[in-house]
Amino acid sequence: MTGTTYIQQIELMQRTLRAETGLSANELQQKYLGVNGAFTLLAKQITEIDPGDRKVAGQPLNNLKNALATAVAAANNPSVKAWVDLSLPGRRPAVGHVHPISQAMAEITKIFTSIGFTRARYPEIDWDWYVFESLNMPPDHPARDEWETFFVAHAPDEKMGQMVLTTHTSNGQVREMERLGKPPIRMINIARCYRRQQDVTHTQMFHQFEGLVVDKGITIQHLKGTLDYFAEQFYGPGTKSRIRPFHFQFTEPSFEVDFSCHLCGGTGCKFCKSGWHEVGGCGMVHPNVLRAGGIDPDVYTGFAFGWGIERTYTLKEGLAIDDIRLLYSGDLQFLEQF
Ligand code: PHE
């Protein structure tokens, strides 16, 4: 055999070795460096080459053998990370992000705290007193039917009544009056709420935010101004609010709140109703509610508003989510879009 043919065989072997991605270090050792290994057999053939060419022809084989032997030794040494090619580009670790509903909660908090509201949080399992009765809804009042309530199996309290999962964030109203003792009150309460309902547009657990302002001389104008401010901050400049007469037991007068559609500019599109979105409720705090919180309604007045975060958020993004339950599915393919 000539030196050149010998070197060609070594090069062929080197290529074969590179393609051996499926073999472990020990399998490679056996296949190439063992008694009958490919390198061992090739090394033996060196005797067939002219003595003068042996040195030049043998060198590449030795290099290859040594490289493989070093790699095999390193792979078997647990303290060395073997087969690491430091020149390979790194693998980016997956980076998560804040859940869209948490993003919306942070944004709403910022909008209201920047005009002097204080973020409050109250129990999500609360007494009937705070969820209904102190809000001017005595036991057996028909208005309660609107809040499809989950009751908690817990002994009722004589004054507080039964325990329920909070059906709205309005349970924070009287609690905040009690916490502060007296006005001024400017509260933004954001919390989970629960209702006995589940379909493509409702989840049994959802989120609401509630505003409450009580002070001397508070009027509907303050309420309307606050709604307009929120509309512009959250949905963008030019967005307006609209209030329509409605009924709630805990506000008088009461209104439903609409925002002008920021997607079509109020002209009407597939996301809105003739240029408007219905979002929630509001009104002037009922004197009985102020009394329940120990505040004299002859001295102080206030307004309150509240609605769901899920809807507020999906409207903002112009998201036509067919099934709102997707928001809580933990499905990364869905969540990674936001
Ligand atoms: N709590 C009411 C609801 O869940 C909304 C509301 C809050 C209405 C505050 C008036 C004042 O529908």
Side-chain angles (χ1 to χ4, degrees), residues 13 30-43 45 61:
M13 209 162 278
Q30 218 180 10
K31 186 164 173 189
Y32 290 92
L33 302 172
V35 200
N36 291 317
F39 288 173
T40 319
L41 299 181
L42 197 60
Q45 292 176 21
L61 183 63

Side-chain angles (χ1 to χ4, degrees), residues 18 20 75 104 120 154-155 185 231:
R18 280 214 186 102
E20 299 275 30
H154 183 282
I185 296 173

Side-chain angles (χ1 to χ4, degrees), residues 14 17-18 25 28-29 32-33 39 59-75 82-83:
Q14 186 168 15
L17 180 61
R18 280 214 186 102
L28 285 172
Q29 146 93 32
Y32 290 92
L33 302 172
F39 288 173
Q59 195 61 47
L61 183 63
N62 271 337
N63 290 347
L64 199 54
K65 273 170 67 180
N66 289 342
L68 183 61
T70 314
V72 169
W83 304 101

Side-chain angles (χ1 to χ4, degrees), residues 147 168 170 173 195 208 210 248 250-251 281-283 304-306:
W147 288 273
H168 54 179
S170 301
Q173 291 194 14
R195 290 187 197 173
Q208 277 194 343
E210 180 103 0
F248 293 106
F250 35 95
T251 44
C282 70
F305 57 84

Side-chain angles (χ1 to χ4, degrees), residues 53-101:
D53 288 339
R54 279 184 202 170
K55 203 173 169 213
V56 181
Q59 195 61 47
L61 183 63
N62 271 337
N63 290 347
L64 199 54
K65 273 170 67 180
N66 289 342
L68 183 61
T70 314
V72 169
N76 287 329
N77 178 350
S79 67
V80 178
K81 288 265 174 288
W83 304 101
V84 171
D85 180 348
L86 294 178
S87 65
L88 280 178
R91 259 185 229 161
R92 259 175 214 283
V95 180
H97 64 72
V98 175
H99 190 281
I101 296 303

Side-chain angles (χ1 to χ4, degrees), residues 22 45 68 74 109 118 130 133 139 165 221 265 267 273 276 278 296:
Q45 292 176 21
L68 183 61
T109 305
T118 302
Y130 290 110
E133 196 164 347
L165 299 188
Q221 291 190 358
T267 51
K273 275 191 194 161
W276 295 91
E278 288 177 22
D296 184 351

Side-chain angles (χ1 to χ4, degrees), residues 106-119 188 229:
E107 193 179 341
I108 292 164
T109 305
K110 193 161 165 247
I111 289 174
F112 285 104
T113 51
S114 68
I115 55 165
F117 283 62
T118 302
R119 167 96 194 259
I188 189 82
Y229 162 77

Side-chain angles (χ1 to χ4, degrees), residues 131 135 137 146-147 167-171 173 193 195 206 208-212 246-251 253-255 257 279-285 303-308:
V131 179
L135 298 176
M137 280 183 271
E146 288 185 27
W147 288 273
T167 54
H168 54 179
T169 40
S170 301
N171 72 313
Q173 291 194 14
C193 300
R195 290 187 197 173
F206 59 101
Q208 277 194 343
F209 68 102
E210 180 103 0
L212 174 71
F246 198 66
H247 174 82
F248 293 106
Q249 279 295 114
F250 35 95
T251 44
S254 303
F255 309 96
V257 183
V279 289
C282 70
M284 301 304 291
V285 182
F303 67 77
F305 57 84
W307 58 87

